[in-house]
mmCIF file of all heavy atoms in Angstrom:
data_model
loop_
_atom_site.group_PDB
_atom_site.id
_atom_site.type_symbol
_atom_site.label_atom_id
_atom_site.label_comp_id
_atom_site.label_asym_id
_atom_site.label_seq_id
_atom_site.Cartn_x
_atom_site.Cartn_y
_atom_site.Cartn_z
ATOM 1 N N GLN V 573 -102.304 83.527 -42.127
ATOM 2 C CA GLN V 573 -102.295 84.955 -42.292
ATOM 3 C C GLN V 573 -103.127 85.412 -43.447
ATOM 4 O O GLN V 573 -102.999 84.768 -44.545
ATOM 5 C CB GLN V 573 -100.894 85.463 -42.550
ATOM 6 C CG GLN V 573 -99.958 85.438 -41.360
ATOM 7 C CD GLN V 573 -98.586 85.907 -41.754
ATOM 8 O OE1 GLN V 573 -97.923 85.238 -42.460
ATOM 9 N NE2 GLN V 573 -98.230 87.049 -41.218
ATOM 10 N N ALA V 574 -104.044 86.293 -43.252
ATOM 11 C CA ALA V 574 -104.812 86.838 -44.384
ATOM 12 C C ALA V 574 -104.471 88.308 -44.506
ATOM 13 O O ALA V 574 -104.372 89.022 -43.464
ATOM 14 C CB ALA V 574 -106.337 86.745 -44.127
ATOM 15 N N GLU V 575 -104.256 88.718 -45.643
ATOM 16 C CA GLU V 575 -103.851 90.115 -45.935
ATOM 17 C C GLU V 575 -104.541 90.760 -47.079
ATOM 18 O O GLU V 575 -104.536 90.216 -48.225
ATOM 19 C CB GLU V 575 -102.238 90.135 -46.185
ATOM 20 C CG GLU V 575 -101.657 91.470 -45.931
ATOM 21 C CD GLU V 575 -100.159 91.359 -46.307
ATOM 22 O OE1 GLU V 575 -99.460 90.503 -45.917
ATOM 23 O OE2 GLU V 575 -99.772 92.325 -47.116
ATOM 24 N N GLY V 576 -105.249 91.788 -46.759
ATOM 25 C CA GLY V 576 -105.952 92.550 -47.840
ATOM 26 C C GLY V 576 -107.035 91.737 -48.495
ATOM 27 O O GLY V 576 -107.406 92.040 -49.657
ATOM 28 N N LEU V 577 -107.639 90.803 -47.809
ATOM 29 C CA LEU V 577 -108.634 89.922 -48.539
ATOM 30 C C LEU V 577 -109.859 90.783 -48.950
ATOM 31 O O LEU V 577 -110.400 91.534 -48.137
ATOM 32 C CB LEU V 577 -109.080 88.813 -47.578
ATOM 33 C CG LEU V 577 -108.510 87.427 -47.618
ATOM 34 C CD1 LEU V 577 -109.264 86.531 -46.731
ATOM 35 C CD2 LEU V 577 -108.468 86.982 -49.103
ATOM 36 N N THR V 578 -110.194 90.579 -50.171
ATOM 37 C CA THR V 578 -111.332 91.362 -50.786
ATOM 38 C C THR V 578 -112.179 90.445 -51.683
ATOM 39 O O THR V 578 -111.604 89.677 -52.371
ATOM 40 C CB THR V 578 -110.661 92.580 -51.580
ATOM 41 O OG1 THR V 578 -109.889 93.413 -50.723
ATOM 42 C CG2 THR V 578 -111.772 93.416 -52.356
ATOM 43 N N LYS V 579 -113.540 90.613 -51.544
ATOM 44 C CA LYS V 579 -114.365 89.952 -52.381
ATOM 45 C C LYS V 579 -115.497 90.818 -52.936
ATOM 46 O O LYS V 579 -116.213 91.379 -52.114
ATOM 47 C CB LYS V 579 -114.942 88.778 -51.703
ATOM 48 C CG LYS V 579 -115.917 87.935 -52.605
ATOM 49 C CD LYS V 579 -115.251 87.353 -53.732
ATOM 50 C CE LYS V 579 -116.197 86.584 -54.682
ATOM 51 N NZ LYS V 579 -115.498 85.999 -55.932
ATOM 52 N N HIS V 580 -115.512 91.094 -54.205
ATOM 53 C CA HIS V 580 -116.561 91.907 -54.860
ATOM 54 C C HIS V 580 -117.392 90.937 -55.753
ATOM 55 O O HIS V 580 -116.835 90.132 -56.388
ATOM 56 C CB HIS V 580 -116.045 93.046 -55.665
ATOM 57 C CG HIS V 580 -115.210 94.019 -54.893
ATOM 58 N ND1 HIS V 580 -114.516 95.012 -55.496
ATOM 59 C CD2 HIS V 580 -115.176 94.269 -53.567
ATOM 60 C CE1 HIS V 580 -113.975 95.805 -54.650
ATOM 61 N NE2 HIS V 580 -114.402 95.347 -53.391
ATOM 62 N N TYR V 581 -118.742 91.189 -55.751
ATOM 63 C CA TYR V 581 -119.558 90.446 -56.654
ATOM 64 C C TYR V 581 -120.234 91.485 -57.620
ATOM 65 O O TYR V 581 -120.688 92.565 -57.092
ATOM 66 C CB TYR V 581 -120.687 89.710 -55.882
ATOM 67 C CG TYR V 581 -120.246 88.542 -55.043
ATOM 68 C CD1 TYR V 581 -120.009 88.732 -53.730
ATOM 69 C CD2 TYR V 581 -120.009 87.291 -55.493
ATOM 70 C CE1 TYR V 581 -119.659 87.707 -52.830
ATOM 71 C CE2 TYR V 581 -119.574 86.215 -54.714
ATOM 72 C CZ TYR V 581 -119.422 86.466 -53.396
ATOM 73 O OH TYR V 581 -119.027 85.495 -52.514
ATOM 74 N N ARG V 582 -120.454 91.078 -58.845
ATOM 75 C CA ARG V 582 -121.292 91.830 -59.686
ATOM 76 C C ARG V 582 -122.730 91.432 -59.479
ATOM 77 O O ARG V 582 -122.986 90.236 -59.475
ATOM 78 C CB ARG V 582 -120.968 91.591 -61.146
ATOM 79 C CG ARG V 582 -119.596 92.253 -61.564
ATOM 80 C CD ARG V 582 -119.794 93.681 -62.026
ATOM 81 N NE ARG V 582 -118.554 94.304 -62.275
ATOM 82 C CZ ARG V 582 -118.454 95.639 -62.385
ATOM 83 N NH1 ARG V 582 -119.483 96.394 -62.179
ATOM 84 N NH2 ARG V 582 -117.292 96.221 -62.560
ATOM 85 N N VAL V 583 -123.666 92.273 -59.228
ATOM 86 C CA VAL V 583 -125.094 91.960 -59.019
ATOM 87 C C VAL V 583 -125.902 92.383 -60.218
ATOM 88 O O VAL V 583 -125.362 93.056 -61.118
ATOM 89 C CB VAL V 583 -125.606 92.580 -57.619
ATOM 90 C CG1 VAL V 583 -124.854 91.939 -56.573
ATOM 91 C CG2 VAL V 583 -125.499 94.033 -57.620
ATOM 92 N N ALA V 584 -127.198 92.085 -60.218
ATOM 93 C CA ALA V 584 -128.079 92.311 -61.293
ATOM 94 C C ALA V 584 -128.262 93.825 -61.528
ATOM 95 O O ALA V 584 -128.241 94.640 -60.617
ATOM 96 C CB ALA V 584 -129.454 91.696 -61.030
ATOM 97 N N ARG V 585 -128.403 94.191 -62.803
ATOM 98 C CA ARG V 585 -128.611 95.559 -63.199
ATOM 99 C C ARG V 585 -129.894 96.065 -62.560
ATOM 100 O O ARG V 585 -130.976 95.413 -62.557
ATOM 101 C CB ARG V 585 -128.760 95.716 -64.684
ATOM 102 C CG ARG V 585 -127.511 95.475 -65.399
ATOM 103 C CD ARG V 585 -127.679 95.678 -66.890
ATOM 104 N NE ARG V 585 -126.437 95.561 -67.673
ATOM 105 C CZ ARG V 585 -125.799 94.384 -67.945
ATOM 106 N NH1 ARG V 585 -126.376 93.250 -67.623
ATOM 107 N NH2 ARG V 585 -124.743 94.421 -68.527
ATOM 108 N N PRO V 586 -129.936 97.356 -62.065
ATOM 109 C CA PRO V 586 -131.229 97.868 -61.501
ATOM 110 C C PRO V 586 -132.278 98.211 -62.582
ATOM 111 O O PRO V 586 -133.436 98.123 -62.362
ATOM 112 C CB PRO V 586 -130.777 99.136 -60.780
ATOM 113 C CG PRO V 586 -129.521 99.526 -61.390
ATOM 114 C CD PRO V 586 -128.828 98.282 -61.866
ATOM 115 N N ARG V 587 -131.717 98.410 -63.832
ATOM 116 C CA ARG V 587 -132.561 98.619 -64.974
ATOM 117 C C ARG V 587 -131.890 98.321 -66.265
ATOM 118 O O ARG V 587 -130.592 98.268 -66.274
ATOM 119 C CB ARG V 587 -133.162 100.130 -65.031
ATOM 120 C CG ARG V 587 -132.005 101.132 -65.062
ATOM 121 C CD ARG V 587 -132.547 102.565 -64.970
ATOM 122 N NE ARG V 587 -131.410 103.417 -65.099
ATOM 123 C CZ ARG V 587 -130.538 103.733 -64.115
ATOM 124 N NH1 ARG V 587 -130.621 103.101 -62.996
ATOM 125 N NH2 ARG V 587 -129.551 104.527 -64.432
ATOM 126 N N LEU V 588 -132.483 98.165 -67.347
ATOM 127 C CA LEU V 588 -131.925 97.836 -68.610
ATOM 128 C C LEU V 588 -130.797 98.793 -69.022
ATOM 129 O O LEU V 588 -130.986 99.964 -68.827
ATOM 130 C CB LEU V 588 -132.936 97.764 -69.696
ATOM 131 C CG LEU V 588 -132.692 97.037 -71.028
ATOM 132 C CD1 LEU V 588 -132.602 95.533 -70.708
ATOM 133 C CD2 LEU V 588 -133.720 97.281 -72.033
ATOM 134 N N LEU V 589 -129.668 98.270 -69.474
ATOM 135 C CA LEU V 589 -128.541 99.103 -69.872
ATOM 136 C C LEU V 589 -127.725 99.754 -68.782
ATOM 137 O O LEU V 589 -126.750 100.415 -69.076
ATOM 138 C CB LEU V 589 -128.907 100.103 -70.989
ATOM 139 C CG LEU V 589 -129.649 99.506 -72.282
ATOM 140 C CD1 LEU V 589 -130.050 100.639 -73.255
ATOM 141 C CD2 LEU V 589 -128.742 98.515 -72.912
ATOM 142 N N ALA V 590 -128.231 99.747 -67.573
ATOM 143 C CA ALA V 590 -127.482 100.319 -66.511
ATOM 144 C C ALA V 590 -126.298 99.385 -66.150
ATOM 145 O O ALA V 590 -126.355 98.233 -66.461
ATOM 146 C CB ALA V 590 -128.315 100.452 -65.237
ATOM 147 N N PRO V 591 -125.147 99.959 -65.698
ATOM 148 C CA PRO V 591 -124.001 99.109 -65.389
ATOM 149 C C PRO V 591 -124.375 98.201 -64.137
ATOM 150 O O PRO V 591 -125.204 98.515 -63.336
ATOM 151 C CB PRO V 591 -122.963 100.096 -65.000
ATOM 152 C CG PRO V 591 -123.642 101.424 -64.715
ATOM 153 C CD PRO V 591 -124.924 101.442 -65.462
ATOM 154 N N ARG V 592 -123.673 97.002 -64.149
ATOM 155 C CA ARG V 592 -123.985 96.097 -63.068
ATOM 156 C C ARG V 592 -123.299 96.561 -61.855
ATOM 157 O O ARG V 592 -122.103 96.759 -61.778
ATOM 158 C CB ARG V 592 -123.553 94.719 -63.413
ATOM 159 C CG ARG V 592 -124.370 94.029 -64.488
ATOM 160 C CD ARG V 592 -123.904 92.715 -64.883
ATOM 161 N NE ARG V 592 -124.016 91.789 -63.773
ATOM 162 C CZ ARG V 592 -123.453 90.573 -63.758
ATOM 163 N NH1 ARG V 592 -122.651 90.169 -64.724
ATOM 164 N NH2 ARG V 592 -123.610 89.752 -62.711
ATOM 165 N N PRO V 593 -124.030 96.855 -60.737
ATOM 166 C CA PRO V 593 -123.369 97.339 -59.547
ATOM 167 C C PRO V 593 -122.515 96.302 -58.828
ATOM 168 O O PRO V 593 -122.596 95.093 -59.194
ATOM 169 C CB PRO V 593 -124.585 97.658 -58.552
ATOM 170 C CG PRO V 593 -125.883 97.579 -59.440
ATOM 171 C CD PRO V 593 -125.462 96.686 -60.597
ATOM 172 N N VAL V 594 -121.620 96.845 -58.038
ATOM 173 C CA VAL V 594 -120.632 95.891 -57.356
ATOM 174 C C VAL V 594 -121.084 95.818 -55.885
ATOM 175 O O VAL V 594 -121.303 96.736 -55.188
ATOM 176 C CB VAL V 594 -119.209 96.508 -57.427
ATOM 177 C CG1 VAL V 594 -118.234 95.676 -56.605
ATOM 178 C CG2 VAL V 594 -118.678 96.614 -58.910
ATOM 179 N N LEU V 595 -121.197 94.540 -55.444
ATOM 180 C CA LEU V 595 -121.456 94.280 -53.995
ATOM 181 C C LEU V 595 -120.094 93.984 -53.365
ATOM 182 O O LEU V 595 -119.418 93.034 -53.740
ATOM 183 C CB LEU V 595 -122.428 93.107 -53.870
ATOM 184 C CG LEU V 595 -122.894 92.707 -52.497
ATOM 185 C CD1 LEU V 595 -124.230 92.035 -52.579
ATOM 186 C CD2 LEU V 595 -121.928 91.840 -51.706
#
Side-chain angles (χ1 to χ4, degrees):
Q573 286 178 292
E575 199 182 310
L577 262 189
T578 298
K579 180 64 184 175
H580 295 170
Y581 293 98
R582 289 268 173 200
V583 295
R585 293 179 171 83
R587 59 187 182 284
L588 199 66
L589 301 181
R592 289 178 67 191
V594 174
L595 185 153

